[in-house]
Amino acid sequence: MSEFFKAELKDRFLEYAADRDDYFEVQLLYDEFLRPNYSLEYVHGLVTEIIDYDADLLDVMSGNGAKIFMLASTPSTADFMEEGGFTDLYIREEEKWDTFFEHLSNNRRLTNKEKAVMTDSKKASYKKERRLLFLLIFAVAFSFLFALSSILKNSFFEDDYITKEEFEKRLKDLEENQSRGENLTLSEEKLDSADTAFKKDSVPMVE
């Protein structure tokens, strides 16, 4: 049995005594808390440890050949329990040893306040990471939808594009047509000039 469990049992013994206004047998503690896993002698041992710590915590009567036979609470019983009892004593003793070993190892333990601050910081960090993760997922989803819409648009609403070779061919044809037009204009101008000259030569000279 651990020392912490023993401290809890001693406190239960004292609480039981404080709730009663009369004497009761040690056997009742055994029947109430430890039967059948432990022996009556073990109960006597725990009561002896209580009295050895402070004889004023219990009023003891002997009888039936036993040194400790009947028990009753005292005014000190309730006061001791209000201060935390044996459980609190055990915890404080353990904390002292922890502090001692921490000083030896130069490894300071965090206080409850520091642990709370670290816990809050971890929670805030977790919330921030989760928010960033949602933004990243949204950005990836948006990019995917944009790419998908572009693919669908190109597939079903394909514009009329021409190749470079076709564009150069059309441009060449346009230039040739323009060149032909200019040549035709020059030919017409020559014809007009020749016709005018012919007309002038055909007019009889008047003397």
Side-chain angles (χ1 to χ4, degrees), residues 3-4 87-102 109:
E3 292 299 320
F4 181 74
T87 304
D88 186 63
L89 287 175
Y90 176 82
I91 293 174
R92 281 186 288 176
E93 188 67 22
E94 287 296 306
E95 288 177 348
K96 288 180 181 179
W97 280 107
D98 288 341
T99 303
F100 173 73
F101 287 122
E102 284 164 14
R109 285 180 62 185

Side-chain angles (χ1 to χ4, degrees), residues 100-108:
F100 173 73
F101 287 122
E102 284 164 14
H103 284 301
L104 289 179
S105 62
N106 293 323
N107 185 16
R108 185 179 65 87

Side-chain angles (χ1 to χ4, degrees), residues 168-185:
E168 292 177 350
K169 182 180 178 182
R170 291 186 182 183
L171 183 60
K172 186 177 181 181
D173 291 342
L174 182 61
E175 290 176 350
E176 289 178 355
N177 291 334
Q178 186 176 359
S179 177
R180 288 174 185 173
E182 290 177 354
N183 291 336
L184 182 60
T185 303

